[in-house]
mmCIF file of all heavy atoms in Angstrom:
data_model
loop_
_atom_site.group_PDB
_atom_site.id
_atom_site.type_symbol
_atom_site.label_atom_id
_atom_site.label_comp_id
_atom_site.label_asym_id
_atom_site.label_seq_id
_atom_site.Cartn_x
_atom_site.Cartn_y
_atom_site.Cartn_z
ATOM 1 N N TRP A 59 25.491 -19.805 -28.556
ATOM 2 C CA TRP A 59 24.813 -18.901 -29.341
ATOM 3 C C TRP A 59 23.691 -18.261 -28.585
ATOM 4 O O TRP A 59 23.164 -18.684 -27.664
ATOM 5 C CB TRP A 59 24.322 -19.515 -30.698
ATOM 6 C CG TRP A 59 23.221 -20.504 -30.452
ATOM 7 C CD1 TRP A 59 21.879 -20.317 -30.527
ATOM 8 C CD2 TRP A 59 23.287 -21.909 -30.166
ATOM 9 N NE1 TRP A 59 21.183 -21.446 -30.277
ATOM 10 C CE2 TRP A 59 22.069 -22.425 -30.100
ATOM 11 C CE3 TRP A 59 24.486 -22.738 -29.993
ATOM 12 C CZ2 TRP A 59 21.805 -23.766 -29.877
ATOM 13 C CZ3 TRP A 59 24.180 -24.079 -29.680
ATOM 14 C CH2 TRP A 59 22.848 -24.597 -29.640
ATOM 15 N N ILE A 60 23.300 -17.012 -29.142
ATOM 16 C CA ILE A 60 22.180 -16.291 -28.599
ATOM 17 C C ILE A 60 20.996 -16.474 -29.477
ATOM 18 O O ILE A 60 21.135 -16.307 -30.725
ATOM 19 C CB ILE A 60 22.479 -14.770 -28.481
ATOM 20 C CG1 ILE A 60 23.754 -14.548 -27.561
ATOM 21 C CG2 ILE A 60 21.282 -14.024 -27.995
ATOM 22 C CD1 ILE A 60 23.517 -14.823 -26.103
ATOM 23 N N GLU A 61 19.887 -16.898 -28.944
ATOM 24 C CA GLU A 61 18.626 -17.067 -29.725
ATOM 25 C C GLU A 61 17.777 -15.800 -29.328
ATOM 26 O O GLU A 61 17.421 -15.452 -28.315
ATOM 27 C CB GLU A 61 17.925 -18.399 -29.296
ATOM 28 C CG GLU A 61 16.572 -18.558 -30.038
ATOM 29 C CD GLU A 61 15.972 -19.925 -29.717
ATOM 30 O OE1 GLU A 61 16.557 -20.539 -28.788
ATOM 31 O OE2 GLU A 61 15.041 -20.340 -30.450
ATOM 32 N N SER A 62 17.361 -15.235 -30.497
ATOM 33 C CA SER A 62 16.581 -13.887 -30.444
ATOM 34 C C SER A 62 15.142 -14.266 -30.750
ATOM 35 O O SER A 62 14.807 -14.744 -31.831
ATOM 36 C CB SER A 62 17.093 -12.924 -31.342
ATOM 37 O OG SER A 62 16.164 -11.765 -31.444
ATOM 38 N N VAL A 63 14.195 -14.090 -29.789
ATOM 39 C CA VAL A 63 12.709 -14.155 -29.950
ATOM 40 C C VAL A 63 12.163 -12.862 -29.687
ATOM 41 O O VAL A 63 11.829 -12.550 -28.488
ATOM 42 C CB VAL A 63 12.164 -15.426 -29.034
ATOM 43 C CG1 VAL A 63 10.780 -15.587 -29.414
ATOM 44 C CG2 VAL A 63 13.065 -16.572 -29.291
ATOM 45 N N GLY A 64 11.894 -12.040 -30.615
ATOM 46 C CA GLY A 64 11.446 -10.686 -30.411
ATOM 47 C C GLY A 64 12.408 -9.906 -29.632
ATOM 48 O O GLY A 64 13.575 -9.754 -30.029
ATOM 49 N N ALA A 65 11.952 -9.330 -28.481
ATOM 50 C CA ALA A 65 12.831 -8.576 -27.791
ATOM 51 C C ALA A 65 13.634 -9.463 -26.655
ATOM 52 O O ALA A 65 14.292 -8.868 -25.749
ATOM 53 C CB ALA A 65 12.018 -7.486 -26.992
ATOM 54 N N VAL A 66 13.413 -10.778 -26.651
ATOM 55 C CA VAL A 66 14.000 -11.656 -25.704
ATOM 56 C C VAL A 66 15.232 -12.333 -26.378
ATOM 57 O O VAL A 66 15.151 -12.866 -27.453
ATOM 58 C CB VAL A 66 13.084 -12.729 -25.188
ATOM 59 C CG1 VAL A 66 13.738 -13.675 -24.271
ATOM 60 C CG2 VAL A 66 11.796 -12.167 -24.624
ATOM 61 N N HIS A 67 16.472 -12.185 -25.664
ATOM 62 C CA HIS A 67 17.647 -12.822 -26.097
ATOM 63 C C HIS A 67 18.127 -13.720 -25.054
ATOM 64 O O HIS A 67 18.315 -13.342 -23.929
ATOM 65 C CB HIS A 67 18.746 -11.730 -26.367
ATOM 66 C CG HIS A 67 18.560 -10.963 -27.611
ATOM 67 N ND1 HIS A 67 19.578 -10.374 -28.365
ATOM 68 C CD2 HIS A 67 17.387 -10.758 -28.491
ATOM 69 C CE1 HIS A 67 19.127 -9.828 -29.458
ATOM 70 N NE2 HIS A 67 17.855 -10.076 -29.508
ATOM 71 N N LYS A 68 18.244 -15.021 -25.439
ATOM 72 C CA LYS A 68 18.658 -16.058 -24.423
ATOM 73 C C LYS A 68 19.797 -16.969 -25.007
ATOM 74 O O LYS A 68 19.857 -17.158 -26.189
ATOM 75 C CB LYS A 68 17.523 -16.964 -24.142
ATOM 76 C CG LYS A 68 16.322 -16.222 -23.351
ATOM 77 C CD LYS A 68 16.751 -15.695 -22.096
ATOM 78 C CE LYS A 68 15.562 -14.968 -21.439
ATOM 79 N NZ LYS A 68 15.950 -14.340 -20.151
ATOM 80 N N LEU A 69 20.714 -17.247 -23.991
ATOM 81 C CA LEU A 69 21.883 -18.000 -24.405
ATOM 82 C C LEU A 69 21.620 -19.514 -24.483
ATOM 83 O O LEU A 69 20.802 -20.106 -23.600
ATOM 84 C CB LEU A 69 23.010 -17.879 -23.293
ATOM 85 C CG LEU A 69 24.267 -18.520 -23.502
ATOM 86 C CD1 LEU A 69 25.087 -18.055 -24.758
ATOM 87 C CD2 LEU A 69 25.111 -18.439 -22.263
ATOM 88 N N ASN A 70 22.167 -20.188 -25.471
ATOM 89 C CA ASN A 70 22.138 -21.586 -25.612
ATOM 90 C C ASN A 70 23.591 -22.179 -25.792
ATOM 91 O O ASN A 70 24.381 -21.449 -26.288
ATOM 92 C CB ASN A 70 21.275 -22.028 -26.748
ATOM 93 C CG ASN A 70 19.780 -21.631 -26.564
ATOM 94 O OD1 ASN A 70 18.961 -22.390 -26.105
ATOM 95 N ND2 ASN A 70 19.508 -20.380 -27.048
ATOM 96 N N ALA A 71 23.884 -23.452 -25.431
ATOM 97 C CA ALA A 71 25.129 -24.062 -25.648
ATOM 98 C C ALA A 71 24.943 -25.585 -25.845
ATOM 99 O O ALA A 71 24.017 -26.157 -25.561
ATOM 100 C CB ALA A 71 26.025 -23.778 -24.424
ATOM 101 N N ARG A 72 26.044 -26.149 -26.526
ATOM 102 C CA ARG A 72 26.075 -27.511 -26.844
ATOM 103 C C ARG A 72 27.459 -28.055 -26.911
ATOM 104 O O ARG A 72 28.384 -27.448 -27.297
ATOM 105 C CB ARG A 72 25.374 -27.723 -28.166
ATOM 106 C CG ARG A 72 24.773 -29.187 -28.403
ATOM 107 C CD ARG A 72 24.010 -29.220 -29.544
ATOM 108 N NE ARG A 72 23.372 -30.554 -29.819
ATOM 109 C CZ ARG A 72 22.574 -30.883 -30.812
ATOM 110 N NH1 ARG A 72 22.161 -29.918 -31.684
ATOM 111 N NH2 ARG A 72 22.149 -32.133 -30.973
ATOM 112 N N LEU A 73 27.626 -29.325 -26.401
ATOM 113 C CA LEU A 73 28.916 -29.927 -26.431
ATOM 114 C C LEU A 73 29.049 -31.010 -27.442
ATOM 115 O O LEU A 73 28.015 -31.856 -27.656
ATOM 116 C CB LEU A 73 29.182 -30.527 -25.053
ATOM 117 C CG LEU A 73 29.379 -29.501 -23.977
ATOM 118 C CD1 LEU A 73 29.253 -30.143 -22.490
ATOM 119 C CD2 LEU A 73 30.690 -28.706 -24.073
ATOM 120 N N TYR A 74 30.214 -31.287 -28.063
ATOM 121 C CA TYR A 74 30.536 -32.236 -29.051
ATOM 122 C C TYR A 74 31.629 -33.165 -28.427
ATOM 123 O O TYR A 74 32.768 -32.755 -28.254
ATOM 124 C CB TYR A 74 30.919 -31.739 -30.389
ATOM 125 C CG TYR A 74 31.277 -32.634 -31.450
ATOM 126 C CD1 TYR A 74 30.151 -33.101 -32.275
ATOM 127 C CD2 TYR A 74 32.565 -33.235 -31.649
ATOM 128 C CE1 TYR A 74 30.467 -34.112 -33.285
ATOM 129 C CE2 TYR A 74 32.814 -34.100 -32.650
ATOM 130 C CZ TYR A 74 31.746 -34.554 -33.439
ATOM 131 O OH TYR A 74 32.028 -35.382 -34.419
ATOM 132 N N THR A 75 31.218 -34.355 -28.027
ATOM 133 C CA THR A 75 32.249 -35.259 -27.445
ATOM 134 C C THR A 75 32.099 -36.738 -28.027
ATOM 135 O O THR A 75 30.968 -37.190 -28.143
ATOM 136 C CB THR A 75 31.946 -35.387 -25.880
ATOM 137 O OG1 THR A 75 32.026 -34.053 -25.342
ATOM 138 C CG2 THR A 75 33.068 -36.183 -25.252
ATOM 139 N N GLY A 76 33.160 -37.388 -28.159
ATOM 140 C CA GLY A 76 33.149 -38.758 -28.731
ATOM 141 C C GLY A 76 32.430 -38.926 -30.018
ATOM 142 O O GLY A 76 31.802 -39.974 -30.226
ATOM 143 N N GLY A 77 32.551 -37.927 -30.926
ATOM 144 C CA GLY A 77 32.007 -38.026 -32.249
ATOM 145 C C GLY A 77 30.549 -37.739 -32.351
ATOM 146 O O GLY A 77 29.942 -37.904 -33.269
ATOM 147 N N ALA A 78 29.907 -37.211 -31.230
ATOM 148 C CA ALA A 78 28.481 -36.876 -31.176
ATOM 149 C C ALA A 78 28.081 -35.605 -30.453
ATOM 150 O O ALA A 78 28.852 -35.299 -29.510
ATOM 151 C CB ALA A 78 27.712 -38.079 -30.658
ATOM 152 N N TRP A 79 27.158 -34.991 -30.874
ATOM 153 C CA TRP A 79 26.607 -33.788 -30.239
ATOM 154 C C TRP A 79 25.764 -34.116 -29.043
ATOM 155 O O TRP A 79 24.795 -35.020 -29.166
ATOM 156 C CB TRP A 79 25.858 -32.882 -31.113
ATOM 157 C CG TRP A 79 26.754 -32.201 -32.184
ATOM 158 C CD1 TRP A 79 26.901 -32.445 -33.430
ATOM 159 C CD2 TRP A 79 27.490 -30.981 -31.849
ATOM 160 N NE1 TRP A 79 27.793 -31.568 -33.989
ATOM 161 C CE2 TRP A 79 28.197 -30.662 -33.061
ATOM 162 C CE3 TRP A 79 27.652 -30.202 -30.776
ATOM 163 C CZ2 TRP A 79 29.033 -29.576 -33.154
ATOM 164 C CZ3 TRP A 79 28.549 -29.007 -30.894
ATOM 165 C CH2 TRP A 79 29.194 -28.788 -32.103
ATOM 166 N N GLY A 80 25.935 -33.543 -27.922
ATOM 167 C CA GLY A 80 25.002 -33.655 -26.795
ATOM 168 C C GLY A 80 23.827 -32.830 -27.016
ATOM 169 O O GLY A 80 23.648 -32.164 -28.005
ATOM 170 N N THR A 81 22.849 -32.827 -26.020
ATOM 171 C CA THR A 81 21.646 -32.092 -26.185
ATOM 172 C C THR A 81 21.976 -30.655 -25.907
ATOM 173 O O THR A 81 22.668 -30.241 -25.072
ATOM 174 C CB THR A 81 20.636 -32.572 -25.019
ATOM 175 O OG1 THR A 81 20.416 -34.021 -25.253
ATOM 176 C CG2 THR A 81 19.316 -31.807 -25.210
ATOM 177 N N ALA A 82 21.325 -29.832 -26.757
ATOM 178 C CA ALA A 82 21.464 -28.406 -26.617
ATOM 179 C C ALA A 82 20.860 -27.842 -25.336
ATOM 180 O O ALA A 82 19.772 -28.391 -24.846
ATOM 181 C CB ALA A 82 20.703 -27.618 -27.814
ATOM 182 N N GLN A 83 21.455 -27.066 -24.564
ATOM 183 C CA GLN A 83 20.992 -26.532 -23.319
ATOM 184 C C GLN A 83 20.786 -25.119 -23.416
ATOM 185 O O GLN A 83 21.496 -24.212 -23.787
ATOM 186 C CB GLN A 83 22.046 -26.758 -22.235
ATOM 187 C CG GLN A 83 21.598 -26.486 -20.812
ATOM 188 C CD GLN A 83 22.553 -27.007 -19.679
ATOM 189 O OE1 GLN A 83 23.070 -28.015 -19.925
ATOM 190 N NE2 GLN A 83 22.516 -26.292 -18.562
ATOM 191 N N SER A 84 19.527 -24.737 -22.842
ATOM 192 C CA SER A 84 19.159 -23.306 -22.812
ATOM 193 C C SER A 84 19.342 -22.760 -21.391
ATOM 194 O O SER A 84 19.127 -23.421 -20.456
ATOM 195 C CB SER A 84 17.718 -23.123 -23.156
ATOM 196 O OG SER A 84 17.193 -21.763 -22.973
ATOM 197 N N PHE A 85 19.844 -21.541 -21.368
ATOM 198 C CA PHE A 85 20.028 -20.736 -20.047
ATOM 199 C C PHE A 85 18.909 -19.811 -19.839
ATOM 200 O O PHE A 85 19.216 -18.761 -19.248
ATOM 201 C CB PHE A 85 21.362 -20.275 -19.936
ATOM 202 C CG PHE A 85 22.460 -21.230 -19.954
ATOM 203 C CD1 PHE A 85 23.167 -21.526 -21.168
ATOM 204 C CD2 PHE A 85 22.933 -21.944 -18.884
ATOM 205 C CE1 PHE A 85 24.135 -22.538 -21.170
ATOM 206 C CE2 PHE A 85 23.846 -22.942 -18.920
ATOM 207 C CZ PHE A 85 24.418 -23.219 -20.040
ATOM 208 N N ALA A 86 17.745 -20.050 -20.390
ATOM 209 C CA ALA A 86 16.662 -19.180 -20.349
ATOM 210 C C ALA A 86 16.186 -18.837 -18.934
ATOM 211 O O ALA A 86 15.460 -17.861 -18.675
ATOM 212 C CB ALA A 86 15.449 -19.536 -21.226
ATOM 213 N N ASP A 87 16.430 -19.736 -17.975
ATOM 214 C CA ASP A 87 16.077 -19.590 -16.612
ATOM 215 C C ASP A 87 16.816 -18.379 -15.892
ATOM 216 O O ASP A 87 16.330 -17.937 -14.823
ATOM 217 C CB ASP A 87 16.308 -20.872 -15.692
ATOM 218 C CG ASP A 87 17.722 -21.399 -15.829
ATOM 219 O OD1 ASP A 87 18.396 -21.246 -16.841
ATOM 220 O OD2 ASP A 87 18.108 -21.974 -14.805
ATOM 221 N N VAL A 88 17.897 -17.928 -16.580
ATOM 222 C CA VAL A 88 18.500 -16.774 -15.971
ATOM 223 C C VAL A 88 17.792 -15.516 -16.635
ATOM 224 O O VAL A 88 17.902 -15.347 -17.835
ATOM 225 C CB VAL A 88 20.032 -16.717 -16.380
ATOM 226 C CG1 VAL A 88 20.742 -15.445 -15.921
ATOM 227 C CG2 VAL A 88 20.762 -17.926 -15.766
ATOM 228 N N GLY A 89 17.212 -14.790 -15.804
ATOM 229 C CA GLY A 89 16.369 -13.679 -16.342
ATOM 230 C C GLY A 89 17.175 -12.607 -16.930
ATOM 231 O O GLY A 89 18.377 -12.430 -16.600
ATOM 232 N N GLY A 90 16.563 -11.698 -17.767
ATOM 233 C CA GLY A 90 17.259 -10.698 -18.337
ATOM 234 C C GLY A 90 17.640 -10.891 -19.849
ATOM 235 O O GLY A 90 17.289 -11.823 -20.324
ATOM 236 N N TYR A 91 18.378 -9.911 -20.408
ATOM 237 C CA TYR A 91 18.715 -9.887 -21.761
ATOM 238 C C TYR A 91 20.146 -10.434 -21.935
ATOM 239 O O TYR A 91 21.019 -9.840 -21.424
ATOM 240 C CB TYR A 91 18.648 -8.464 -22.325
ATOM 241 C CG TYR A 91 18.815 -8.135 -23.736
ATOM 242 C CD1 TYR A 91 17.878 -8.075 -24.631
ATOM 243 C CD2 TYR A 91 20.156 -8.073 -24.224
ATOM 244 C CE1 TYR A 91 18.076 -7.787 -25.929
ATOM 245 C CE2 TYR A 91 20.397 -7.766 -25.530
ATOM 246 C CZ TYR A 91 19.337 -7.657 -26.389
ATOM 247 O OH TYR A 91 19.651 -7.350 -27.799
ATOM 248 N N HIS A 92 20.284 -11.553 -22.591
ATOM 249 C CA HIS A 92 21.538 -12.164 -22.571
ATOM 250 C C HIS A 92 22.449 -11.584 -23.826
ATOM 251 O O HIS A 92 21.876 -11.463 -24.962
ATOM 252 C CB HIS A 92 21.444 -13.654 -22.859
ATOM 253 C CG HIS A 92 20.840 -14.321 -21.591
ATOM 254 N ND1 HIS A 92 20.773 -15.741 -21.574
ATOM 255 C CD2 HIS A 92 20.138 -13.896 -20.524
ATOM 256 C CE1 HIS A 92 20.127 -16.090 -20.406
ATOM 257 N NE2 HIS A 92 19.817 -14.978 -19.845
ATOM 258 N N GLY A 93 23.627 -11.513 -23.723
ATOM 259 C CA GLY A 93 24.458 -11.013 -24.797
ATOM 260 C C GLY A 93 25.983 -11.193 -24.470
ATOM 261 O O GLY A 93 26.372 -11.536 -23.467
ATOM 262 N N ALA A 94 26.770 -11.084 -25.612
ATOM 263 C CA ALA A 94 28.265 -11.090 -25.478
ATOM 264 C C ALA A 94 28.706 -12.326 -24.758
ATOM 265 O O ALA A 94 29.369 -12.171 -23.712
ATOM 266 C CB ALA A 94 28.781 -9.783 -24.854
ATOM 267 N N PRO A 95 28.387 -13.505 -25.313
ATOM 268 C CA PRO A 95 28.957 -14.766 -24.686
ATOM 269 C C PRO A 95 30.513 -14.982 -25.008
ATOM 270 O O PRO A 95 30.981 -14.564 -26.025
ATOM 271 C CB PRO A 95 28.149 -15.911 -25.282
ATOM 272 C CG PRO A 95 27.848 -15.406 -26.616
ATOM 273 C CD PRO A 95 27.685 -13.856 -26.473
ATOM 274 N N TYR A 96 31.244 -15.566 -24.036
ATOM 275 C CA TYR A 96 32.637 -15.935 -24.123
ATOM 276 C C TYR A 96 32.779 -17.443 -23.823
ATOM 277 O O TYR A 96 32.175 -17.916 -22.854
ATOM 278 C CB TYR A 96 33.502 -15.074 -23.342
ATOM 279 C CG TYR A 96 33.529 -13.614 -23.650
ATOM 280 C CD1 TYR A 96 32.534 -12.764 -22.997
ATOM 281 C CD2 TYR A 96 34.333 -13.023 -24.636
ATOM 282 C CE1 TYR A 96 32.510 -11.546 -23.328
ATOM 283 C CE2 TYR A 96 34.287 -11.762 -24.873
ATOM 284 C CZ TYR A 96 33.350 -10.935 -24.273
ATOM 285 O OH TYR A 96 33.245 -9.531 -24.524
ATOM 286 N N LEU A 97 33.553 -18.207 -24.614
ATOM 287 C CA LEU A 97 33.686 -19.596 -24.422
ATOM 288 C C LEU A 97 35.191 -19.943 -24.653
ATOM 289 O O LEU A 97 35.776 -19.502 -25.464
ATOM 290 C CB LEU A 97 32.895 -20.315 -25.577
ATOM 291 C CG LEU A 97 32.847 -21.813 -25.551
ATOM 292 C CD1 LEU A 97 32.093 -22.260 -24.267
ATOM 293 C CD2 LEU A 97 31.859 -22.198 -26.751
ATOM 294 N N ALA A 98 35.724 -20.756 -23.686
ATOM 295 C CA ALA A 98 37.084 -21.120 -23.753
ATOM 296 C C ALA A 98 37.282 -22.488 -23.027
ATOM 297 O O ALA A 98 36.441 -22.946 -22.311
ATOM 298 C CB ALA A 98 37.946 -20.122 -23.064
ATOM 299 N N SER A 99 38.434 -23.090 -23.275
ATOM 300 C CA SER A 99 38.894 -24.343 -22.583
ATOM 301 C C SER A 99 40.310 -24.330 -22.318
ATOM 302 O O SER A 99 41.167 -23.728 -22.979
ATOM 303 C CB SER A 99 38.587 -25.510 -23.542
ATOM 304 O OG SER A 99 39.171 -26.748 -23.007
ATOM 305 N N SER A 100 40.630 -24.722 -21.068
ATOM 306 C CA SER A 100 41.946 -24.774 -20.542
ATOM 307 C C SER A 100 42.620 -26.139 -20.832
ATOM 308 O O SER A 100 43.720 -26.440 -20.404
ATOM 309 C CB SER A 100 42.047 -24.417 -19.021
ATOM 310 O OG SER A 100 41.410 -25.402 -18.335
ATOM 311 N N GLY A 101 41.973 -26.892 -21.723
ATOM 312 C CA GLY A 101 42.554 -28.289 -22.141
ATOM 313 C C GLY A 101 41.679 -29.358 -21.607
ATOM 314 O O GLY A 101 41.966 -30.536 -22.040
ATOM 315 N N GLY A 102 40.733 -29.228 -20.677
ATOM 316 C CA GLY A 102 39.941 -30.244 -20.223
ATOM 317 C C GLY A 102 38.409 -29.955 -20.503
ATOM 318 O O GLY A 102 37.916 -30.224 -21.472
ATOM 319 N N ASN A 103 37.817 -29.405 -19.385
ATOM 320 C CA ASN A 103 36.461 -28.922 -19.460
ATOM 321 C C ASN A 103 36.367 -27.604 -20.220
ATOM 322 O O ASN A 103 37.353 -27.034 -20.609
ATOM 323 C CB ASN A 103 35.918 -28.902 -18.055
ATOM 324 C CG ASN A 103 35.736 -30.135 -17.438
ATOM 325 O OD1 ASN A 103 35.778 -31.262 -18.014
ATOM 326 N ND2 ASN A 103 35.703 -30.202 -16.063
ATOM 327 N N TYR A 104 35.159 -27.003 -20.241
ATOM 328 C CA TYR A 104 34.911 -25.731 -20.890
ATOM 329 C C TYR A 104 34.343 -24.757 -19.804
ATOM 330 O O TYR A 104 33.673 -25.304 -18.776
ATOM 331 C CB TYR A 104 33.904 -25.836 -22.018
ATOM 332 C CG TYR A 104 34.401 -26.764 -23.136
ATOM 333 C CD1 TYR A 104 33.858 -28.124 -23.088
ATOM 334 C CD2 TYR A 104 35.178 -26.316 -24.196
ATOM 335 C CE1 TYR A 104 34.391 -28.966 -24.154
ATOM 336 C CE2 TYR A 104 35.613 -27.178 -25.150
ATOM 337 C CZ TYR A 104 35.149 -28.490 -25.270
ATOM 338 O OH TYR A 104 35.597 -29.361 -26.183
ATOM 339 N N LEU A 105 34.527 -23.520 -20.063
ATOM 340 C CA LEU A 105 33.893 -22.490 -19.242
ATOM 341 C C LEU A 105 33.149 -21.423 -20.186
ATOM 342 O O LEU A 105 33.768 -21.055 -21.151
ATOM 343 C CB LEU A 105 34.928 -21.805 -18.366
ATOM 344 C CG LEU A 105 34.330 -21.282 -17.056
ATOM 345 C CD1 LEU A 105 33.822 -22.508 -16.215
ATOM 346 C CD2 LEU A 105 35.314 -20.532 -16.153
ATOM 347 N N LEU A 106 31.997 -21.160 -19.847
ATOM 348 C CA LEU A 106 31.165 -20.360 -20.649
ATOM 349 C C LEU A 106 30.740 -19.193 -19.741
ATOM 350 O O LEU A 106 30.236 -19.382 -18.668
ATOM 351 C CB LEU A 106 29.948 -21.120 -21.172
ATOM 352 C CG LEU A 106 28.842 -20.278 -21.794
ATOM 353 C CD1 LEU A 106 29.324 -19.634 -23.224
ATOM 354 C CD2 LEU A 106 27.626 -21.238 -22.211
#
Side-chain angles (χ1 to χ4, degrees):
W59 65 93
I60 300 293
E61 183 173 10
S62 175
V63 185
V66 179
H67 284 203
K68 295 299 181 182
L69 179 70
N70 298 267
R72 199 169 182 180
L73 293 165
Y74 181 87
T75 305
W79 287 100
T81 303
Q83 183 168 335
S84 170
F85 295 96
D87 54 327
V88 177
Y91 184 100
H92 296 190
Y96 298 91
L97 184 60
S99 174
S100 61
N103 296 339
Y104 301 94
L105 209 63
L106 172 64

